[in-house]
Amino acid sequence: MWSSSVALRRLQRIAGTPLNVAGGLTSSVQRKMSTLPRVFVTRQIPPEGLKILRDSGQVNFELWDSDDVPVPRKELLEKVRGVDALLCVLTEKVDAELLEAAGPKLKVVSTMSVGFDHLSLEELKRRGIRVGYTPDVLTDAVAELTVALLLTTSRRLIEATHEAKTGGWGTWRTLWLCGHELANSTVGILGLGRIGVAIAERLAPFKVKKFIYADVAPRPELAASINAEYVSLDELAERSDFLAACCALTPETKEICNRRLFSKMKNTSIFINTSRGGVVNQEDLYEALATGQIAGAGLDVTVPEPLPTTHPLFTLKNCVILPHIASASYTTRNAMSALAANNLLLGLQGEPMIRELKL
Ligand SMILES: O=CC(=O)O
């Protein structure tokens, strides 16, 4: 647990404004700053976003100056008191308690994420707080990682490198470390949005035979670009050789990938999740993997995160687990940071944000 003195050292006021010779802020600068909207940034976000906030001269922002340790909840509740805007990441729960602590001045919440299941949208809406998020800029990186995870899982790359390094590599063997190939396969997408389409576009050159998708409603425009067929959830499970969960976590999708779904999948099928851990019932997934009901799973997201190293899923050879890195490229994380900062500034000015959630 972090002592509060350590926690306090993590907090820095970043004003980007001139200092007087004694090292303090000049009084005119101090006066100006005290009239600027106050912002709390819950993480040391990548430099592009910080630069935008600093160079704007429009906000007086305080930063939780760490990327390794999230701001402790108690500290967060204190730091948001009286702020006009909050820039957060997906580890912060923005719920009624936090909004109460922030008080009536809070007008904008900008999250550096495409997912928004950490935000209580009803509470935000009720209070008239506008919400920015960061879709689109991460689509390429997430799609790329999803393909990497799918191939890693289906072609058993983690097992293979382990065998090569630890002496398991004997003579060339006819069925050793065989996996499942994409050529002539059916790929199912659960939740067809920008990311699902981008994944399909990248998989098509691997000679996928058919794309199918399930969603709350058909998405003909998106589906047309990848020639995907709309099917029921049951059909998605039954027909997919590779099933990729790409849906947002909502009350409707919570644990939608459960025993029922896995039991309908082929025992040669691979399940991939780069959306949110909460869309999967992990006990049911463990069972499906351990009993050979499905061939393998690649997960970039789990519940909780981090997944404890003692978790049963880590004992399975046919389960590849990544530490939530789908959008983790330098370019993308900087673009997310910049977009989150710009959304916040625009929101404070009463302008339309570049990417704003409709509440
Ligand atoms: O998971 C990552 C995000 O929501 O941006």
Side-chain angles (χ1 to χ4, degrees), residues 39-147:
V39 175
F40 186 62
V41 181
T42 67
R43 193 63 76 95
Q44 189 188 64
I45 57 171
E48 283 190 18
L50 288 180
K51 183 166 168 9
I52 288 167
L53 291 182
R54 200 177 289 124
D55 292 355
S56 75
Q58 290 174 30
V59 288
N60 177 10
F61 73 94
E62 194 169 5
L63 172 72
W64 175 253
D65 195 18
S66 169
D67 195 21
D68 299 331
V69 183
V71 53
R73 182 74 179 177
K74 193 161 162 277
E75 200 75 37
L76 177 61
L77 294 179
E78 276 162 29
K79 285 293 153 190
V80 294
R81 188 156 302 138
V83 296
D84 299 271
L86 179 70
L87 197 159
C88 66
V89 296
L90 52 81
T91 49
E92 275 75 60
K93 245 193 163 3
V94 177
D95 54 9
E97 180 191 37
L98 184 138
L99 298 175
E100 276 311 307
K105 285 183 78 185
L106 184 63
K107 290 285 169 290
V108 175
V109 170
S110 176
T111 181
M112 192 190 123
S113 61
V114 65
F116 43 83
D117 47 287
H118 55 299
L119 311 177
S120 299
L121 299 186
E122 255 176 46
E123 296 291 340
L124 286 154
K125 184 175 177 181
R126 204 159 64 75
R127 291 168 167 82
I129 297 170
R130 293 173 62 195
V131 179
Y133 71 138
T134 62
D136 302 324
V137 293
L138 47 57
T139 301
D140 287 336
V142 173
E144 196 172 289
L145 187 284
T146 306
V147 172

Side-chain angles (χ1 to χ4, degrees), residues 18 35 37 102 116 139 154 238 264 277 316 333 356:
T35 61
F116 43 83
T139 301
S154 60
E238 284 157 11
K264 294 189 182 306
L316 298 173
R333 288 287 167 85
E356 182 164 353

